[in-house]
C-alpha cells in the first residue's frame, strides 16, 4: 500500500511546476512485480491531478489581468482564449512531455479550458505515456538486470 502512495505522490509532484520524476518510482515498482495495470492507473490519476494544480494556477493568474504589470491586455486574452479553445486544446494530449508539458497545463487554465475537457485530454495523454513506460520497462528489465549484475561483478573484482 505504501508503494502505491509513493507512486501517487511522485506522479502528482512530477506534474506540478516542481522538478520531480515519477518514472524511477514506477520502474522500481514494476521490477518488484506490482500489477502493471494498477501502476498505470495510480500514476495516471496522480499525474493528472497534479496537472490540475497547474490549471488552477493559470486560472488564478487571470485575477491579476487588470494590473499594470500584467503582460497581456483584455482584448489579447480574449483572442487567445478563443483561439486556444478552438485549436489549442488538442495540445493538452502532450502535457506529459518533460519540457513544456507543465506550461501547457498552466496555459490551459489561463485560456479557460473547461475542466472536463482538460481532464479528458490530459488524462488520456498521460495514460498513454505511462503505458509506454511500463511496456519499455518490461522490455528492458532483463537487459537492465544483466547489465547491472555485470557492473556489480566488475566492481567486486
Amino acid at each position: 500500500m505504501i508503494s502505491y502512495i509513493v507512486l501517487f505522490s511522485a506522479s502528482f509532484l512530477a506534474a506540478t511546476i516542481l522538478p520531480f520524476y515519477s518514472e524511477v518510482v514506477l520502474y522500481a515498482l514494476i521490477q518488484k512485480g506490482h500489477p502493471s495495470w494498477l501502476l498505470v492507473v495510480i500514476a495516471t490519476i496522480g499525474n493528472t491531478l497534479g496537472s490540475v494544480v497547474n490549471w488552477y494556477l493559470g486560472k488564478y493568474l487571470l485575477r491579476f489581468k487588470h494590473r499594470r504589470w500584467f503582460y497581456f491586455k483584455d482584448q489579447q486574452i480574449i483572442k487567445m482564449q478563443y483561439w486556444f479553445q478552438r485549436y489549442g486544446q488538442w495540445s493538452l494530449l502532450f502535457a506529459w512531455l518533460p519540457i513544456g508539458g507543465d506550461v501547457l497545463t498552466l496555459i490551459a487554465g489561463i485560456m479557460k479550458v473547461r475542466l472536463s475537457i482538460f481532464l479528458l485530454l490530459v488524462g488520456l495523454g498521460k495514460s498513454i505515456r505511462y503505458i509506454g513506460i511500463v511496456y519499455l520497462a518490461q522490455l528492458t528489465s532483463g537487459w537492465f538486470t544483466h547489465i547491472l549484475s555485470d557492473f556489480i561483478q566488475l566492481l567486486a573484482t
Side-chain angles (χ1 to χ4, degrees), residues 28-112:
L29 294 177
I30 291 167
Q31 298 309 308
K32 284 187 170 185
H34 290 275
S36 297
W37 69 269
L38 184 57
L39 297 176
V40 168
V41 169
I42 291 169
T44 299
I45 291 171
N47 210 247
T48 302
L49 290 178
S51 293
V52 172
V53 171
N54 295 341
W55 181 82
Y56 273 114
L57 284 173
K59 283 191 74 137
Y60 182 75
L61 279 176
L62 282 177
R63 293 181 177 196
F64 300 106
K65 69 181 179 182
H66 298 295
R67 304 280 172 100
R68 272 198 282 157
W69 53 264
F70 198 80
Y71 188 75
F72 298 106
K73 305 290 180 230
D74 268 345
Q75 282 303 98
Q76 291 173 308
I77 293 171
I78 291 168
K79 266 186 178 176
M80 287 186 292
Q81 286 172 339
Y82 172 77
W83 182 88
F84 197 84
Q85 292 289 342
R86 188 165 172 112
Y87 305 108
Q89 293 183 102
W90 294 106
S91 67
L92 292 172
L93 288 169
F94 299 100
W96 57 269
L97 290 171
I99 298 174
D102 296 340
V103 174
L104 278 175
T105 58
L106 184 77
I107 290 171
I110 294 170
M111 297 296 118
K112 293 185 176 180

Side-chain angles (χ1 to χ4, degrees), residues 4 6-16 22-23 26 29 35-53 92-93 95-96 105 118-134:
Y4 299 133
V6 169
L7 177 61
F8 179 87
S9 301
S11 300
F12 184 91
L13 290 173
T16 64
S22 59
E23 295 84 0
L26 180 62
L29 294 177
S36 297
W37 69 269
L38 184 57
L39 297 176
V40 168
V41 169
I42 291 169
T44 299
I45 291 171
N47 210 247
T48 302
L49 290 178
S51 293
V52 172
V53 171
L92 292 172
L93 288 169
W96 57 269
T105 58
F118 178 86
L119 288 171
L120 178 70
L121 293 174
V122 171
L124 179 63
K126 289 178 182 276
S127 65
I128 291 169
R129 167 191 175 221
Y130 281 118
I131 290 168
I133 290 170
V134 166

